[in-house]
Amino acid sequence: MKNIILSSLVCLLLISVVSCKKDPKTDKKEEVIEEVVDSTDVVEVVEEKKPVVKKKKKKKTTKTKPKTNVIEVPAGAPSFKNTAARKYVRDYEAYVTKYKKAVESKADMDAFLKLSKLSSDLTSQYRKLISILPADEIEKMSKYMQEKTKQIDALSRQM
């Protein structure tokens, strides 16, 4: 019995070796040769040169005024030697005008929000201004601000 088992094992081993053996017919690889063909067409482009036309510069006929730091204050406002003080008065007058329009519109809350930002900007501008103004101009500014405060209070009462 041992012989039969042993012989069957040998047979199985031979069969497996023979079946795993490479087939020379199927091992040949087909070589694929690709031929590259240029399919692009060559087109010759000829550019025509256009004549260059120079533009003539126009002469300015209006005379420009030299820039100066002249900031005019509205009528009725005091005049100051300091340009920062004049700018503050101009900005404050614009603020009062916008405040008056906002009070008249009554329902325009966006206008009041914008005025809030303007008010804080004017406050910081005023603080800087007071630190640099001479005493006589501080007195003028103080009187101006008292008048404008009365005007703002009167507008506030209308709401």
Side-chain angles (χ1 to χ4, degrees):
M1 177 105 164
K2 284 185 180 182
N3 280 341
I4 294 177
I5 293 178
L6 196 60
S7 67
S8 62
L9 275 176
V10 170
C11 280
L12 279 176
L13 185 64
L14 282 173
I15 291 175
S16 67
V17 169
V18 170
S19 69
C20 290
K21 188 176 177 182
K22 293 182 180 178
D23 186 17
K25 292 179 184 175
T26 60
D27 283 349
K28 290 183 182 176
K29 290 186 178 176
E30 292 183 27
E31 291 185 26
V32 177
I33 299 175
E34 291 184 21
E35 189 174 318
V36 178
V37 177
D38 186 14
S39 65
T40 58
D41 293 332
V42 177
V43 177
E44 192 171 318
V45 177
V46 178
E47 290 184 26
E48 292 182 22
K49 292 187 177 180
K50 295 180 181 179
V52 178
V53 179
K54 293 184 180 179
K55 293 181 180 178
K56 293 181 181 179
K57 293 183 179 179
K58 294 183 180 179
K59 293 182 181 178
K60 291 184 179 179
T61 57
T62 59
K63 294 181 181 179
T64 57
K65 295 179 182 178
K67 292 184 178 180
T68 58
N69 285 342
V70 176
I71 298 175
E72 295 183 22
V73 293
S79 61
F80 294 94
K81 294 176 187 173
N82 187 311
T83 56
R86 289 193 301 263
K87 183 181 179 314
Y88 177 78
V89 169
R90 183 193 64 199
D91 293 347
Y92 200 82
E93 288 291 329
Y95 170 77
V96 171
T97 303
K98 289 177 183 178
Y99 190 85
K100 184 177 180 180
K101 287 180 183 178
V103 167
E104 289 170 355
S105 70
K106 292 183 183 178
D108 190 11
M109 293 310 289
D110 288 335
F112 283 106
L113 291 173
K114 290 177 185 177
L115 284 173
S116 174
K117 171 135 177 45
L118 278 174
S119 176
S120 64
D121 291 345
L122 284 170
T123 301
S124 63
Q125 189 178 354
Y126 183 76
R127 287 183 185 139
K128 291 176 188 175
L129 185 62
I130 291 300
S131 66
I132 61 170
L133 282 180
D136 61 329
E137 290 200 344
I138 288 177
E139 187 177 328
K140 274 197 241 179
M141 183 63 76
S142 177
K143 288 180 182 177
Y144 169 74
M145 291 305 295
Q146 287 174 359
E147 291 174 17
K148 290 300 164 181
T149 301
K150 289 177 185 176
Q151 187 177 0
I152 293 283
D153 287 342
L155 289 170
S156 295
R157 280 188 236 121
Q158 292 177 2
M159 289 175 41

mmCIF file of all heavy atoms in Angstrom, residues 95 99-100 103 106 112 148-159:
data_model
loop_
_atom_site.group_PDB
_atom_site.id
_atom_site.type_symbol
_atom_site.label_atom_id
_atom_site.label_comp_id
_atom_site.label_asym_id
_atom_site.label_seq_id
_atom_site.Cartn_x
_atom_site.Cartn_y
_atom_site.Cartn_z
ATOM 1 N N TYR A 95 -21.585 117.924 9.755
ATOM 2 C CA TYR A 95 -22.234 117.025 10.709
ATOM 3 C C TYR A 95 -23.592 117.578 11.151
ATOM 4 O O TYR A 95 -24.592 116.854 11.192
ATOM 5 C CB TYR A 95 -21.331 116.811 11.932
ATOM 6 C CG TYR A 95 -21.998 116.103 13.078
ATOM 7 C CD1 TYR A 95 -22.201 114.735 13.048
ATOM 8 C CD2 TYR A 95 -22.425 116.810 14.200
ATOM 9 C CE1 TYR A 95 -22.810 114.070 14.097
ATOM 10 C CE2 TYR A 95 -23.033 116.160 15.253
ATOM 11 C CZ TYR A 95 -23.226 114.791 15.202
ATOM 12 O OH TYR A 95 -23.841 114.152 16.239
ATOM 13 N N TYR A 99 -27.196 115.937 10.613
ATOM 14 C CA TYR A 99 -28.029 115.686 11.797
ATOM 15 C C TYR A 99 -29.424 116.260 11.588
ATOM 16 O O TYR A 99 -30.433 115.626 11.910
ATOM 17 C CB TYR A 99 -27.360 116.289 13.035
ATOM 18 C CG TYR A 99 -28.005 115.874 14.333
ATOM 19 C CD1 TYR A 99 -27.637 114.690 14.952
ATOM 20 C CD2 TYR A 99 -28.979 116.655 14.938
ATOM 21 C CE1 TYR A 99 -28.219 114.288 16.147
ATOM 22 C CE2 TYR A 99 -29.572 116.273 16.126
ATOM 23 C CZ TYR A 99 -29.186 115.090 16.731
ATOM 24 O OH TYR A 99 -29.776 114.694 17.906
ATOM 25 N N LYS A 100 -29.476 117.461 11.018
ATOM 26 C CA LYS A 100 -30.756 118.112 10.769
ATOM 27 C C LYS A 100 -31.595 117.285 9.783
ATOM 28 O O LYS A 100 -32.793 117.091 9.997
ATOM 29 C CB LYS A 100 -30.522 119.517 10.208
ATOM 30 C CG LYS A 100 -31.771 120.315 10.003
ATOM 31 C CD LYS A 100 -31.455 121.720 9.523
ATOM 32 C CE LYS A 100 -32.731 122.502 9.316
ATOM 33 N NZ LYS A 100 -32.469 123.869 8.847
ATOM 34 N N VAL A 103 -32.945 114.188 11.537
ATOM 35 C CA VAL A 103 -34.071 114.509 12.429
ATOM 36 C C VAL A 103 -35.341 114.715 11.610
ATOM 37 O O VAL A 103 -36.415 114.260 11.998
ATOM 38 C CB VAL A 103 -33.743 115.765 13.280
ATOM 39 C CG1 VAL A 103 -34.983 116.299 13.976
ATOM 40 C CG2 VAL A 103 -32.667 115.435 14.300
ATOM 41 N N LYS A 106 -36.728 111.314 10.456
ATOM 42 C CA LYS A 106 -37.195 110.591 11.641
ATOM 43 C C LYS A 106 -37.098 109.068 11.544
ATOM 44 O O LYS A 106 -36.722 108.419 12.476
ATOM 45 C CB LYS A 106 -38.620 111.004 12.015
ATOM 46 C CG LYS A 106 -38.710 112.415 12.501
ATOM 47 C CD LYS A 106 -40.092 112.766 12.931
ATOM 48 C CE LYS A 106 -40.140 114.233 13.340
ATOM 49 N NZ LYS A 106 -41.450 114.683 13.721
ATOM 50 N N PHE A 112 -28.784 107.889 11.385
ATOM 51 C CA PHE A 112 -28.331 108.091 12.766
ATOM 52 C C PHE A 112 -27.103 107.231 13.087
ATOM 53 O O PHE A 112 -26.231 107.641 13.842
ATOM 54 C CB PHE A 112 -29.464 107.828 13.764
ATOM 55 C CG PHE A 112 -30.450 108.949 13.841
ATOM 56 C CD1 PHE A 112 -31.705 108.832 13.279
ATOM 57 C CD2 PHE A 112 -30.115 110.139 14.466
ATOM 58 C CE1 PHE A 112 -32.614 109.863 13.346
ATOM 59 C CE2 PHE A 112 -31.021 111.188 14.546
ATOM 60 C CZ PHE A 112 -32.270 111.049 13.975
ATOM 61 N N LYS A 148 -23.178 125.626 18.698
ATOM 62 C CA LYS A 148 -23.569 124.419 17.942
ATOM 63 C C LYS A 148 -24.249 123.388 18.845
ATOM 64 O O LYS A 148 -25.154 122.685 18.416
ATOM 65 C CB LYS A 148 -22.354 123.796 17.243
ATOM 66 C CG LYS A 148 -21.850 124.640 16.108
ATOM 67 C CD LYS A 148 -22.955 124.791 15.074
ATOM 68 C CE LYS A 148 -22.695 125.908 14.117
ATOM 69 N NZ LYS A 148 -23.760 126.094 13.135
ATOM 70 N N THR A 149 -23.855 123.344 20.107
ATOM 71 C CA THR A 149 -24.489 122.432 21.057
ATOM 72 C C THR A 149 -25.951 122.842 21.264
ATOM 73 O O THR A 149 -26.848 121.986 21.319
ATOM 74 C CB THR A 149 -23.727 122.423 22.396
ATOM 75 O OG1 THR A 149 -22.385 122.022 22.145
ATOM 76 C CG2 THR A 149 -24.363 121.476 23.392
ATOM 77 N N LYS A 150 -26.197 124.149 21.368
ATOM 78 C CA LYS A 150 -27.570 124.643 21.493
ATOM 79 C C LYS A 150 -28.394 124.267 20.265
ATOM 80 O O LYS A 150 -29.546 123.874 20.364
ATOM 81 C CB LYS A 150 -27.582 126.147 21.685
ATOM 82 C CG LYS A 150 -27.079 126.613 23.048
ATOM 83 C CD LYS A 150 -27.065 128.126 23.126
ATOM 84 C CE LYS A 150 -26.445 128.591 24.430
ATOM 85 N NZ LYS A 150 -26.334 130.058 24.491
ATOM 86 N N GLN A 151 -27.778 124.377 19.090
ATOM 87 C CA GLN A 151 -28.464 124.054 17.838
ATOM 88 C C GLN A 151 -28.811 122.549 17.793
ATOM 89 O O GLN A 151 -29.922 122.173 17.415
ATOM 90 C CB GLN A 151 -27.595 124.438 16.652
ATOM 91 C CG GLN A 151 -28.269 124.314 15.308
ATOM 92 C CD GLN A 151 -27.380 124.771 14.159
ATOM 93 O OE1 GLN A 151 -26.246 125.189 14.345
ATOM 94 N NE2 GLN A 151 -27.907 124.655 12.953
ATOM 95 N N ILE A 152 -27.865 121.721 18.181
ATOM 96 C CA ILE A 152 -28.092 120.258 18.190
ATOM 97 C C ILE A 152 -29.182 119.905 19.205
ATOM 98 O O ILE A 152 -30.050 119.054 18.938
ATOM 99 C CB ILE A 152 -26.774 119.496 18.527
ATOM 100 C CG1 ILE A 152 -25.752 119.677 17.404
ATOM 101 C CG2 ILE A 152 -27.015 118.036 18.811
ATOM 102 C CD1 ILE A 152 -25.988 118.840 16.174
ATOM 103 N N ASP A 153 -29.163 120.559 20.378
ATOM 104 C CA ASP A 153 -30.185 120.296 21.398
ATOM 105 C C ASP A 153 -31.579 120.661 20.870
ATOM 106 O O ASP A 153 -32.552 119.936 21.114
ATOM 107 C CB ASP A 153 -29.902 121.090 22.681
ATOM 108 C CG ASP A 153 -28.729 120.516 23.454
ATOM 109 O OD1 ASP A 153 -28.359 119.343 23.216
ATOM 110 O OD2 ASP A 153 -28.172 121.225 24.313
ATOM 111 N N ALA A 154 -31.664 121.779 20.167
ATOM 112 C CA ALA A 154 -32.951 122.205 19.616
ATOM 113 C C ALA A 154 -33.448 121.183 18.585
ATOM 114 O O ALA A 154 -34.650 120.863 18.534
ATOM 115 C CB ALA A 154 -32.832 123.576 18.971
ATOM 116 N N LEU A 155 -32.546 120.658 17.774
ATOM 117 C CA LEU A 155 -32.930 119.642 16.795
ATOM 118 C C LEU A 155 -33.358 118.346 17.484
ATOM 119 O O LEU A 155 -34.300 117.687 17.049
ATOM 120 C CB LEU A 155 -31.765 119.371 15.841
ATOM 121 C CG LEU A 155 -31.432 120.486 14.832
ATOM 122 C CD1 LEU A 155 -30.135 120.187 14.124
ATOM 123 C CD2 LEU A 155 -32.574 120.639 13.832
ATOM 124 N N SER A 156 -32.683 117.996 18.575
ATOM 125 C CA SER A 156 -33.012 116.767 19.291
ATOM 126 C C SER A 156 -34.413 116.850 19.895
ATOM 127 O O SER A 156 -35.119 115.836 19.987
ATOM 128 C CB SER A 156 -31.992 116.508 20.399
ATOM 129 O OG SER A 156 -30.728 116.263 19.843
ATOM 130 N N ARG A 157 -34.804 118.027 20.341
ATOM 131 C CA ARG A 157 -36.132 118.186 20.940
ATOM 132 C C ARG A 157 -37.238 117.998 19.905
ATOM 133 O O ARG A 157 -38.382 117.705 20.254
ATOM 134 C CB ARG A 157 -36.244 119.560 21.592
ATOM 135 C CG ARG A 157 -35.589 119.591 22.958
ATOM 136 C CD ARG A 157 -35.867 120.895 23.698
ATOM 137 N NE ARG A 157 -34.557 121.461 24.028
ATOM 138 C CZ ARG A 157 -34.115 122.641 23.644
ATOM 139 N NH1 ARG A 157 -34.873 123.435 22.923
ATOM 140 N NH2 ARG A 157 -32.923 123.057 23.966
ATOM 141 N N GLN A 158 -36.939 118.184 18.630
ATOM 142 C CA GLN A 158 -37.925 118.043 17.571
ATOM 143 C C GLN A 158 -38.284 116.572 17.305
ATOM 144 O O GLN A 158 -39.289 116.285 16.694
ATOM 145 C CB GLN A 158 -37.430 118.667 16.264
ATOM 146 C CG GLN A 158 -37.312 120.156 16.305
ATOM 147 C CD GLN A 158 -36.752 120.711 15.000
ATOM 148 O OE1 GLN A 158 -36.500 119.977 14.061
ATOM 149 N NE2 GLN A 158 -36.556 122.022 14.957
ATOM 150 N N MET A 159 -37.473 115.683 17.778
ATOM 151 C CA MET A 159 -37.696 114.260 17.501
ATOM 152 C C MET A 159 -38.787 113.694 18.329
ATOM 153 O O MET A 159 -39.333 113.748 19.173
ATOM 154 C CB MET A 159 -36.419 113.440 17.721
ATOM 155 C CG MET A 159 -35.417 113.731 16.667
ATOM 156 S SD MET A 159 -33.803 112.967 16.836
ATOM 157 C CE MET A 159 -34.091 111.353 17.364
#
